[in-house]
Every structure is written in structure tokens, then in C-alpha cells.
Amino acid sequence: MSATAAKRIKIKSQERLGALMREHFLDLDEAARDPQRRVAWCTSVGPCEILTAMGFETYFPENHGALLGARRVSHELIPRAVAIGYCAESCSYMTSDIGSTLAGVSPLTEAFGIDGPPNPDLLVYSTNQCREVQDWWGFHGRRTDAAVMGVCPPSHLGEVTREHVAFVSGLLERLVEKIEHRFGATLDRDRLKEVVALSSRASALWRQVLDTARARPAALTFFDGVIHMAPVILMRGSQKAIDYYETLLAELNQRIADGVGGIPEERFRIYWEGMPIWPKVRELAEKFFDLRTVVAASTYCNSWAFDEYDGGDPIEWMARTSIEIFINRDEVSKQKFLSEMFNRFEIDGAIFHNARTCPNNTNSRFGMAQRVRDEMDMPVLVLDGDLSDVRFFSTAQTMTNIEAFIEQLEECKR
Amino acid sequence: MSGALYVGVDLGSSATKCVVLDETTTLVGYHVVKSGFDYVEAGQVALHHALAKAEGEPADVAYCVSTGYGRERVALANRRVTEITCHARGAREWYPAVRNIIDVGGQDTKVIRLSEGGRMADYRMNAKCAAGTGTFLESTAHKLDLSLQQLDELAMTSTEPAVVNSYCTVFAGTEVIERIKEGQPARDIAMGLFRSIATRVSEMLAVRDGAVAVTGGVAAHCRALVRALEEVLETEVLLPPMPQYAGAFGAALLATETNDAERSSTSHVAHR
Ligand code: SF4
């Protein structure tokens, strides 16, 4: 069977995911209108479990940024943010989200029939991923009555020590105090334990889902992963995410049993380092499909695969997982992680996405791609692009680059 | 003409090149035309003339490999291969010991690194902007009301090249105006432009070990580029006999190397 004749076999759970997302956003919309309920916005690897345990409904603006990119409207909205002083080369999640707010349009309207993001009562960020979120949340803080509260943990860590964890636990405790003070609520520690246990369970299942790409052929690809990761970000800390991943995992395990892969007759296995290129996800998926090459693993999808919770102090678990994430680590730790991933997924070549507007998620900027090539003997390719803004992306050049990379891998194999 | 012919068509953004080899990989025909607006037509015209030189006809073509930005538009192609692999293959034939190949094309500039065994080990393409490419030279020459050839001739008489630093073609144009305002001689400004391309290339050259080969249309027409590269990279720059045809030549060589099994296989690039 030739690749062109082969058809992509859809992951059936995707339908369920659509319904789940719909339900989630309709409920958020309702919560924002209900004076009895409160909505907190949170960064994607921020302290959302505390917010859930304190009764807030959580909303994640980065998901909105991704949605704006995937719907290919970012480049139309970014100019609105640039016009009020946000640099066109700063985070395009941020600039497109700000642009969307200024223009009063949101892809959530078309997708779920709601006006747009739910109005926030509270805006919480953690700079464990980047400083940009602080500025982004600041914009929304100035335009609404919502309180902005941030956690700034130590970054670029090598080994994560007990001292680091204790320090961040302290930051989280102070955050709790501030929320309690502002909203007159109390954090129920048992409830937090429950939420953290649910979060950890969803995350563990997510890791197992990603691991199905270790099979040959890989049961899912990076391009499937970026769609199916939504629940582990938006709904972690809820049973809904767990139920979803149990179903998805069963389906993917069945695929493995049946020898069905995301790419039939896969020839090469690629690692994707850096952000997705949201407006081009489909085109890239098709390109790799044609090349019979599977993007089997990525740093991005793994960002929500946390260590399991052991039933101890939930704040401590949150502190540790929040600073252990790849993006918050030093170069040595990052390279060690990459090396483990290459072995785990039997990777033939690594693609580094140089996302123009996201320096923190772009590791090719400081020579890591070359070091990976030289030290790990791994063929590497650096692709220029952006997470959302297509103006930084050339389709023809990128596709040629990818094809040439596969030709290089073919030559290596000969 | 008797015997099988092997064809490489390089449909680039500015020019379309065609090379015809016989069974002994001897060059028997070649031709170049402007790509213009109709890529299909450009491919056909280049092929027609190259075949005529080879005293052959389409029925004699045993295998055809297309390359370049318009590689999808070459109807006769049995296989499509990127210009990166093809330039590497072409240059390696001319200079088997060379490890770095620089291709300065119309839309982009590439630096290809070969392994000791001559395999493609790594490559880099210029990022996004046209600075460092043939388009950059052409547009700046145009602004100065010069042809590319005139720009080259002028640059070759330079004694003290002007500094043109900008990463951006538009800003580089502004810099040129600045240099004119300062009263710098035209010859030095012209050489400054070639130097700026060479500087961009130097950023893509990770390992410097001996002579480099330069291919592509710009190198074919501009001696000043070769000189600028030599000065900036501080190494010998080898200019092959037909630099503009390196991609098409490499494609034709790949056509001769495609074995029977590969021909009948459903390789991803075949018959797409
Ligand atoms: S990590 Fe990158 S994409 Fe995410 S918010 Fe920060 S700058 Fe934007």
C-alpha cells in the first residue's frame, strides 16, 4: 500500500473530545454569568489545583491563543495589540489574545456559540514558563476588575532541590492567603488533596497516551497529541479528564493490538522540540504522512506529564511539579531529558522549531540543536516559524526543509 | 541518438535549468530559461532545448528527477528531490573532497555539510528574509539602476568595501543610501553588498575545514561573490564549471543512480 493510497485512520475518541470541550466552555460561560460562581484565569502549568479546590472555575488563556492560531486568525488580530504598544515579536499567544479582546471577536463564538472568554474574577499566573504571562495577565487585569496574583518561582534550574521546593511551597501558601483574604474563602486542604490526586491521575493517563507512540507503528502522532491534550490542560483536577483519557487510551491500545498506526508503513520517527505551529498543524501532519514519517514524541505534549502524587502534602507536589517542568530547567537537564526521549521513542531525527515570538520555548536559540547533533549523534533540523503568527512562516521553505531532512535521513540509512 | 538518457530539471524561482546525461553519466545536453509565470512551460522549454542538444527526444528519457521550488510542476519527473540534496550531489561530483557547499539562489541561500563519505550530514537555509540571497542583490542593483552584471563589474574594482550590515533587504537599501550620502565610491558600496551576503553565509557555516564549493545562479554571474566569500570566510572558494547547473546536474546524477527496485517502489517522492 503506498502512502498516498493510504488514508489516515481517525482517532474515534475525537468526537467525544468535541462534546467534552463544548460542555466545558458552555459551563464556563454560565459560571461567568452566575453571581454565585467565580472564574479564575490561570496559566497552563500554573497552580490551577488550588483554584479548583477553592471553588473557582478555571479558564486558560493560552488555550485561547492556540485556538486563535489554529483558526488562522492571529495575524489579523495581532496588529490591534501592536497598535497599542505590544511588540509584534513578543508572544503571539499574548498579542493575538489581546487583539481578539480589543476587536471583540473570539473563535469560541463560532465553536461553541458563546460571546468569548468568560469574564474573570481572578487572574493567576506563574512565571515558571515565561515572564510574558505576567504582562499578558496585566493587560486583562487593567481592563477588568479582576485581581492579578502571580507566583514567580526560581527558573533555569539544574537539579530541583528540597530548598527549591520549600521556597515555591511558601510562594503557593502566600498565594492561598491572598486569595482567601480577597475572596473571604478558605482552602479546604482535604479538597485540595482530592483535586491534586485527580490532576495527577489525569496526567499519568496522559503520559500513557503519549507512550502509545512508542509502538511501531506509533498509535498516535504529535499532531494528534496537540488536539487530545486539551483535557489535561483545561480539565485537570476533574474526573472528566480521567474518563476521557481512559477511553482514549483503550482505543489507542486497541490500535496497537491491531497494528494500526497514525502513519501506515512508517519509515522514520521524529522528535518535535518547541511549540506547535498551530495554523499549519494540518498541513504539516499531511506532509509527514506523505513522507511516511511519524512525529512520535515532543517536548510540548510532555509538558503536562507530571510525576505522580503520593498522597503527601499537595502544595509540595504542586511546587515540585511546577518547577520540574522542562521549560523551567537548565540546558544540561533539558538535554538529558531529550536524550531519554530519543531513546524511549527510538527517534531518528529531531526538529527544533524556532518559534519567533516564544523565546522560552525555543531551545535552538542558544545552540542546543547543534549540541544535540554533535553530542547525541542525532540529525537535527531547525525550522523557522511561529506558534500563531503565519507572517513568520514560509510554507514553501518549510516544506522543502522537511523533505530535505527526510532525504538526509534516507542517506544516513543507506 | 541511441541509448538511454537521464534528465535533471531544476525549476528554481528565477531560472529553470535542465541537464541531460547519457548512460556513462557524460553531460550531453543542458539549457537554462527564465522560470517566469508558467513553471510547466519553463520546464518543458528547458527540457526541449537540452534534449535537442543531446540529439535525443522525450522517448529516450529513461529517468527524470526534478528539483527546485517548482519541482512539483515538472510533468516528466519520475521522482522529486529537494534542491538541497541535488546541489550536494552535483557539487560532490565536481569536488569529491569538499565538505561545505554554499548555494546562493534567488530565494534562499543554503549551506550544505557533507560527511567524510560524501553524504549529506547537515544543512541550513537562510531564515525568512531575502537578505543574503540573489533577490537581495537584484533588488538593490535595481534601485541603483544597475544590472547584476554591472554591479558585479563595479564591485570587482573596489579597494575598500563599504559596510552594509542590515539583516533586512529594505534596511540594507537604506544603508546603501546612507553610504551614497557619505560620498563612498559606488564600487565600494557594490562590494559591500556582496560582502553582506558573504557575512550571512558565514553565519550558516558551522564547521570551517578547508575549501568550500559555491553553486547557484548568483555565483555563476558574479565573480564579486566568490571574492567576497573568500575574504570573509578566509578560505579557498571553488567555483565549478557550471555553478548554475549544480542542482540540475545533481538531479540528473540521482536519476542515473536510481536502481530498478527504487524505480518500481512507491517511494514518497515518486509519482506524487
Ligand atoms: S511560553 Fe511562550 S507561548 Fe507560552 S505564554 Fe510564554 S511566550 Fe507565550
Side-chain angles (χ1 to χ4, degrees):
Chain A
M1 180 171 61
S2 80
T4 37
K7 282 267 175 304
R8 285 179 76 188
I9 301 169
K10 267 197 154 180
I11 295 178
K12 291 192 211 90
S13 304
Q14 200 158 325
E15 266 177 40
R16 186 151 175 215
L17 178 64
L20 194 60
M21 295 288 280
R22 186 176 183 77
E23 202 182 292
H24 173 78
F25 279 101
L26 291 182
D27 184 54
L28 260 178
D29 189 56
E30 222 177 275
R33 294 166 196 280
D34 183 346
Q36 305 303 315
R37 296 171 73 187
R38 287 188 183 125
V39 174
W41 290 16
C42 188
T43 45
S44 62
V45 270
C48 64
E49 289 85 0
I50 289 176
L51 303 170
T52 304
M54 293 183 87
F56 288 90
E57 304 302 334
T58 47
Y59 166 80
F60 297 87
E62 287 142 88
N63 174 253
H64 195 234
L67 213 56
L68 288 160
R71 299 258 165 165
R72 302 169 188 224
V73 291
S74 295
H75 62 285
E76 292 165 13
L77 298 168
I78 289 169
R80 299 289 296 256
V82 175
I84 63 159
Y86 289 85
C87 171
E89 297 197 359
S90 55
C91 172
S92 58
Y93 271 1
M94 171 183 75
T95 50
S96 53
D97 177 68
I98 291 176
S100 128
T101 308
L102 295 172
V105 294
S106 163
L108 295 173
T109 307
E110 197 192 318
F112 309 115
I114 59 179
D115 288 347
N119 274 332
D121 297 289
L122 172 63
L123 299 155
V124 174
Y125 65 82
S126 169
T127 55
N128 59 346
Q129 57 187 94
C130 63
R131 72 152 267 179
E132 280 78 348
V133 291
Q134 199 172 12
D135 302 89
W136 182 358
W137 267 229
F139 166 82
H140 288 295
R142 286 188 294 277
R143 73 169 184 92
T144 64
D145 295 331
V148 185
M149 297 183 192
V151 181
C152 299
S155 57
H156 305 111
L157 302 180
E159 193 195 341
V160 174
T161 64
R162 282 220 309 270
E163 288 74 21
H164 289 134
V165 175
F167 176 71
V168 180
S169 296
L171 296 178
L172 292 175
E173 290 290 1
R174 267 195 292 288
L175 173 72
V176 171
E177 279 166 25
K178 274 161 76 178
I179 301 174
E180 286 181 335
H181 181 72
R182 168 89 185 213
F183 292 92
T186 331
L187 172 64
D188 175 343
R189 301 279 160 160
D190 289 334
R191 173 72 184 127
L192 182 61
K193 274 191 168 184
E194 265 172 44
V195 175
V196 161
L198 289 168
S199 219
S200 161
R201 176 83 191 118
S203 171
L205 282 163
W206 174 238
R207 190 193 290 268
Q208 288 176 53
V209 164
L210 294 177
D211 268 354
T212 62
R214 292 177 68 195
R216 282 181 186 262
L220 108 159
T221 75
F222 168 61
F223 303 105
D224 301 318
V226 296
I227 295 167
H228 292 275
M229 67 197 275
V232 79
I233 304 170
L234 306 183
M235 301 166 209
R236 65 176 188 272
S238 79
Q239 186 62 38
K240 281 186 283 187
I242 294 171
D243 294 343
Y244 180 69
Y245 287 125
E246 278 174 348
T247 312
L248 176 62
L249 186 61
E251 182 184 347
L252 294 173
N253 281 333
Q254 189 57 48
R255 274 188 165 212
I256 295 174
D258 298 342
V260 172
I263 310 281
E265 298 183 353
E266 67 179 44
R267 299 183 306 153
F268 299 107
R269 298 167 73 85
I270 301 291
Y271 186 86
W272 186 280
E273 198 335 270
M275 296 292 285
I277 304 173
W278 289 108
K280 300 288 168 183
V281 162
R282 190 185 301 163
E283 271 173 75
L284 288 167
E286 281 166 8
K287 171 56 73 183
F288 282 102
F289 187 87
D290 277 353
L291 293 168
R292 287 191 281 138
T293 295
V294 63
V295 181
S298 68
T299 311
Y300 184 68
C301 287
N302 255 278
S303 305
W304 289 269
F306 307 127
D307 274 353
E308 290 212 33
Y309 172 55
D310 62 2
D313 178 359
I315 293 275
E316 200 181 296
W317 180 84
M318 289 180 65
R320 184 161 39 77
T321 51
S322 76
I323 51 176
E324 262 177 2
I325 54 172
F326 181 91
I327 195 171
N328 198 49
R329 306 300 292 279
D330 72 356
E331 298 284 282
V332 175
S333 313
K334 283 179 177 173
Q335 277 177 230
K336 187 167 165 272
F337 174 83
L338 290 181
S339 164
E340 284 163 9
M341 291 294 276
F342 296 162
N343 288 332
R344 191 169 172 76
F345 288 86
E346 299 177 336
I347 296 298
D348 300 304
I351 291 180
F352 283 72
H353 172 204
N354 175 20
R356 181 69 164 254
T357 69
C358 176
N360 257 24
N361 260 321
T362 297
N363 287 298
S364 54
R365 291 201 177 184
F366 304 100
M368 191 185 288
Q370 280 74 4
R371 288 196 298 279
V372 161
R373 183 194 60 204
D374 297 340
E375 293 166 20
M376 302 178 200
D377 199 19
M378 175 64 63
V380 296
L381 168 68
V382 177
L383 284 184
D384 286 309
D386 190 57
L387 40 145
S388 297
D389 195 342
V390 281
R391 295 171 301 178
F392 291 120
F393 181 86
S394 156
T395 303
Q397 198 185 67
T398 305
M399 296 309 179
T400 295
N401 253 324
I402 293 170
E403 278 182 40
F405 189 52
I406 302 306
E407 287 165 9
Q408 182 189 334
L409 297 183
E410 280 167 357
E411 278 202 16
C412 292
K413 243 188 183 170
R414 281 189 184 187
Chain B
M1 172 91 203
S2 62
L5 297 177
Y6 296 88
V7 171
V9 180
D10 178 1
L11 223 161
S13 58
S14 317
T16 298
K17 290 78 62 179
C18 180
V19 161
V20 181
L21 303 178
D22 69 10
E23 281 162 319
T24 63
T25 70
T26 304
L27 180 79
V28 288
Y30 57 92
H31 196 76
V32 58
V33 293
K34 276 205 178 319
S35 297
F37 286 105
D38 190 339
Y39 282 3
V40 176
E41 161 104 7
Q44 277 165 353
V45 172
L47 175 72
H48 174 82
H49 288 288
L51 277 177
K53 253 180 232 162
E55 293 175 17
E57 46 190 87
D60 301 325
V61 177
Y63 206 75
C64 172
V65 171
S66 67
T67 186
Y69 266 127
R71 61 188 176 278
E72 308 284 337
R73 310 304 299 273
V74 179
L76 190 75
N78 303 93
R79 191 177 161 209
R80 279 142 196 156
V81 180
T82 65
E83 52 273 34
I84 296 158
T85 299
C86 291
H87 272 268
R89 182 64 195 89
R92 178 157 61 90
E93 193 69 11
W94 284 317
Y95 304 111
V98 162
R99 305 278 304 276
N100 284 316
I101 296 146
I102 298 162
D103 167 39
V104 182
Q107 289 297 325
D108 48 42
T109 294
K110 306 161 197 96
V111 172
I112 307 161
R113 175 85 187 153
L114 299 183
S115 69
E116 253 173 58
R119 297 208 164 134
M120 186 159 72
D122 198 20
Y123 62 89
R124 289 213 222 160
M125 243 195 236
N126 66 298
K128 297 169 210 90
C129 184
T133 70
T135 305
F136 162 71
L137 277 181
E138 269 168 6
S139 81
T140 319
H142 183 74
K143 254 191 217 155
L144 300 172
D145 207 16
L146 296 170
S147 68
L148 196 54
Q149 196 191 342
Q150 287 169 318
L151 189 77
D152 180 50
E153 282 165 8
L154 207 54
M156 287 304 282
T157 62
S158 165
T159 48
E160 218 175 304
V163 175
V164 181
N165 276 328
S166 185
Y167 271 116
C168 161
T169 305
V170 177
F171 287 176
T174 318
E175 269 190 277
V176 168
I177 294 166
E178 282 291 311
R179 301 293 95 88
I180 295 172
K181 235 170 46 187
E182 289 161 11
Q184 297 218 27
R187 59 172 190 271
D188 292 339
I189 297 173
M191 196 59 189
L193 293 170
F194 287 101
R195 281 278 191 110
S196 90
I197 292 199
T199 307
R200 296 302 302 274
V201 167
S202 74
E203 291 176 352
M204 295 193 265
L205 200 69
V207 188
R208 298 186 182 201
D209 51 0
V212 301
V214 60
T215 63
V218 183
H221 297 117
C222 303
R223 287 163 307 153
L225 176 68
V226 177
R227 192 168 119 189
L229 283 169
E230 269 174 343
E231 287 169 1
V232 172
L233 303 177
E234 295 174 336
T235 187
E236 187 188 0
V237 173
L238 303 164
L239 186 67
M242 299 165 70
Q244 191 176 14
Y245 286 93
F249 180 47
L253 285 167
L254 290 173
T256 67
E257 288 158 8
T258 309
N259 61 36
D260 293 343
E262 280 170 325
R263 278 179 207 185
S264 56
S265 87
T266 51
S267 161
H268 69 276
V269 276
H271 310 288
R272 234 193 344 217

